[in-house]
Amino acid sequence: MREMLTGGELDVLTGDYLAELTMLILGRDRLKDPGAGYARTFLRQLEECLGLAHERSVKIVTNAGGLNPAGLADAVRQLADRLGIPVRVAHVEGDDLKDRHPDSLAAHAYLGGFGIAECLKGGADVVVTGRVTDAALVTGPAAAHFGWRPTDHDRLAGAVVAGHVLECGTQATGGNYAFFDEGSHDVRRPGFPLAELHEDGSCVITKHPGSGGFVDVGTVTAQLLYETGGARYAGPDVTARLDTVRLTKDGPDRVRIEGVRGEAPPPTLKVGLNRLGGFRNEVVFVLTGLGIEAKAELVKGQLAEALGKVAEARWELVRTDRPDADTEETASALLRLVVRDPRQEAVGRVLSGAAIELALASYPGFHVLAPPGKGSPYGVFEDVYVPYGAVDHVAVLHDGRRIPVAPPQDTLVLEDLTEPPAPAPLPDGPVRRAPLGLLAGARSGDKGGNANVGVWVRTDEEWRWLAHTLTVDRFRELLPETRDLAVSRHVLPNLRALNFVVEGILGAGVAAQHRFDPQAKALGEWLRSRHLDIPEALL
């Protein structure tokens, strides 16, 4: 926060503190303390930086209110009073639908940006929200500044795209970037991105002068593909058409985004439901040297009877060993056991009892990475949809006035677009077996139980090859974990990109820790490491 306030010009500072997992954590906090439920880290940052923001007339807009935006707004007022800084604090409410879903730990609708806009138009210096879309932190200030109306779909769509690029901070400035090791860019401490927004909805993505990392068409493309689905990117303010986005270099560390078209939002609001799914426990057995698979089968057989008493047990053998290794660690494989059950005592008893009691009676060299605990709760995430009328979207101004935010008058049912025509294929020529990542970048992430993998290339010739080569069947072939799951492919020619959505690969969402990489953050890097026949002309 300090870096953004002191590093260069800024009108509005946004902060995105919420993810699906965060809502579950805040829900558990609020069970212990009804006054909790917001991101306390925001208050710690603000204590250091509120004076700077006031001196520089920078507005602050954040969703750090989580489950309790009114509580955080009060806490900010108390902080400002203690520091002697005169600030006007407003908040947005109406997203909390737990009364409708009493079995959930948290149930929150994803609101749009017009509540934020009302707060800013009412004179707020700090605006705190609960669950809004990540992009709403940008559409709200933009609508307030430019006077946009809910029917200004193209302008709002441009702001949504800008907000999507900004929402994950340094992922737009070289963080987590597929080609981080190319060129002379220093990505050890990337600076944060900022968007210069224009009245027509276009923008330039850049960063403060002298900050680390870099901004180019690749880093912006990567973030545009992150955690998206089809070409229609739907939200409560507008549906942005990602297939209309045009990116051009606008100077050093500057990328212009323009041409974004918008459509009316869908007729329903997404609601994220978080509930406790039960308890989980795990233990990792270390298998060293010869007979790795036989050792694994022995311990599995020894635990079979005990594991019949828990609701779910999953084994995974990770072959980190190598033959004739010169260290014990590289001679060892890892056998991971995860158990789940509604009863904490059941998952604790199986691993702290049955598994550890084998220590002197199992495979040679028996040991585990760490002793198992009692078991910890895990969460389940799902999304449902409600009509706009189910939500009372209200802007609560700094003087206590309550401004209702009307739902959109125009809506449009979301439909998948027909896949655009593919470019002409490359002529036949010699090929070489090589990793996909020599040509293509990728970024992947989670949406509930689904994962997306966005793949892009940087030249028209590479795009002619990728569009024809990386079909759904080839994707499943390269990532065998997806073979039995529904996979859809979405084509974005302006970005030279394909976006794949894999349904159900993450089970009940990140909090359920269904697989080794529970948020699918590295699924794209696995894909890039896979080998296939690539034209030598491109290599």
Side-chain angles (χ1 to χ4, degrees):
M1 190 181 288
R2 171 178 285 276
E3 181 179 318
M4 290 305 293
L5 288 169
T6 60
E9 293 296 317
L10 203 64
D11 296 304
V12 180
L13 177 66
T14 66
D16 175 18
Y17 288 75
L18 301 183
E20 293 168 4
L21 182 60
T22 318
M23 298 298 281
L24 179 72
I25 294 169
L26 294 177
R28 291 177 58 193
D29 287 347
R30 207 168 189 193
L31 284 178
K32 303 171 188 173
D33 176 7
Y38 53 79
R40 298 182 186 278
T41 51
F42 170 73
L43 278 179
R44 291 202 291 271
Q45 291 173 300
L46 199 63
E47 182 161 12
E48 180 186 356
C49 295
L50 185 58
L52 286 171
H54 177 66
E55 291 167 9
R56 290 162 170 76
S57 299
V58 176
K59 307 286 188 182
I60 296 175
V61 178
T62 178
N63 60 14
L67 277 61
N68 188 8
L72 179 55
D74 286 340
V76 172
R77 293 186 188 100
Q78 293 169 17
L79 173 65
D81 289 345
R82 178 162 57 83
L83 297 176
I85 301 171
V87 295
R88 292 165 293 192
V89 184
H91 74 275
V92 178
E93 59 185 42
D95 59 299
D96 192 341
L97 298 182
K98 191 175 185 310
D99 289 346
R100 291 170 173 261
H101 302 276
D103 294 335
S104 297
L105 196 58
H108 291 262
Y110 288 72
L111 301 180
F114 280 93
I116 295 170
E118 290 292 346
C119 291
L120 292 171
K121 288 191 293 185
D125 302 305
V126 177
V127 180
V128 171
T129 78
R131 192 16 127 188
V132 296
T133 64
D134 302 337
L137 301 175
V138 174
T139 61
H145 183 81
F146 295 117
W148 292 344
R149 298 166 299 174
T151 53
D152 290 326
H153 294 144
D154 290 347
R155 292 176 172 87
L156 288 167
V160 163
V161 169
H164 183 59
V165 173
L166 297 185
E167 71 179 59
C168 288
T170 55
Q171 279 195 171
T173 55
N176 300 349
Y177 184 54
F179 301 114
F180 74 97
D181 55 349
E182 293 186 4
S184 58
H185 302 295
D186 185 352
V187 295
R188 289 175 297 176
R189 190 178 186 277
F192 282 79
L194 60 89
E196 299 171 357
L197 291 164
H198 299 281
E199 195 277 336
D200 65 356
S202 66
C203 72
V204 171
I205 303 297
T206 183
K207 64 186 185 69
H208 283 328
S211 58
F214 64 104
V215 178
D216 68 11
V217 169
T219 65
V220 175
T221 298
Q223 181 55 27
L224 277 176
L225 295 172
Y226 182 62
E227 293 182 347
T228 59
R232 282 190 164 106
Y233 186 62
D237 293 321
V238 68
T239 293
R241 288 283 298 269
L242 298 182
D243 57 337
T244 64
V245 175
R246 295 198 307 271
L247 305 179
T248 53
K249 184 178 176 63
D250 194 58
D253 290 319
R254 292 176 64 84
V255 172
R256 182 172 296 278
I257 301 177
E258 56 193 347
V260 186
R261 301 298 302 274
E263 299 170 344
T268 54
L269 279 174
K270 177 180 172 180
V271 178
L273 304 181
N274 293 87
R275 59 182 173 82
L276 292 178
F279 295 85
R280 70 183 300 280
N281 206 354
E282 69 174 83
V283 64
V284 179
F285 301 91
V286 182
L287 316 175
T288 303
L290 304 178
I292 295 293
E293 293 186 3
K295 290 171 179 173
E297 289 305 311
L298 173 58
V299 73
K300 285 182 183 180
Q302 289 177 308
L303 284 173
E305 181 179 352
L307 293 179
K309 300 173 183 176
V310 296
E312 179 187 352
R314 294 184 59 178
W315 293 95
E316 186 173 13
L317 177 59
V318 184
R319 296 301 298 265
T320 51
D321 58 304
R322 65 189 70 165
D324 195 22
D326 57 5
T327 67
E328 183 179 339
E329 186 170 0
T330 55
S332 300
L334 303 176
L335 178 63
R336 181 172 180 243
L337 169 61
V338 177
V339 294
R340 289 187 173 87
D341 196 273
R343 303 159 298 158
Q344 185 175 24
E345 66 275 12
V347 298
R349 187 167 56 246
V350 165
L351 296 192
S352 61
I356 299 307
E357 287 168 4
L358 292 177
L360 304 180
S362 189
Y363 60 87
F366 182 105
H367 66 286
V368 297
L369 285 185
K374 297 178 180 179
S376 58
Y378 70 89
V380 171
F381 176 87
E382 63 176 310
D383 49 43
V384 298
Y385 292 84
V386 299
Y388 282 89
V391 172
D392 294 322
H393 189 177
V394 176
V396 184
L397 305 190
H398 66 279
D399 57 8
R401 284 180 294 153
R402 300 176 62 84
I403 309 296
V405 178
Q409 296 301 305
D410 299 328
T411 61
L412 185 66
V413 175
L414 205 62
E415 294 180 353
D416 285 338
L417 293 166
T418 303
E419 185 170 303
L426 288 178
D428 291 338
V431 297
R432 189 195 326 158
R433 199 79 177 165
L436 174 63
L438 294 184
L439 294 186
R443 180 163 286 166
S444 55
D446 62 308
K447 280 293 183 186
N450 301 339
N452 93 292
V453 185
V455 185
W456 81 94
V457 288
R458 294 175 286 186
T459 70
D460 291 339
E461 294 297 288
E462 292 170 350
W463 172 238
R464 290 172 63 188
W465 173 79
L466 184 74
H468 288 276
T469 301
L470 197 55
T471 62
V472 168
D473 287 343
R474 179 62 61 84
F475 181 90
R476 285 196 176 108
E477 176 187 320
L478 294 173
L479 301 186
E481 286 185 39
T482 71
R483 282 179 179 167
D484 298 326
L485 300 172
V487 178
S488 57
R489 182 180 104 147
H490 306 278
V491 181
L492 302 170
N494 286 3
L495 301 177
R496 301 190 191 97
L498 304 171
N499 195 22
F500 295 87
V501 178
V502 185
E503 297 182 20
I505 192 171
L506 303 179
V510 54
Q513 298 187 37
H514 179 74
R515 65 190 295 274
F516 165 69
D517 175 14
Q519 290 181 282
K521 299 298 186 186
L523 198 59
E525 287 301 295
W526 178 27
L527 178 66
R528 294 182 68 234
S529 75
R530 298 290 282 161
H531 289 227
L532 69 170
D533 291 334
I534 298 177
E536 287 189 354
L538 299 181
L539 295 170

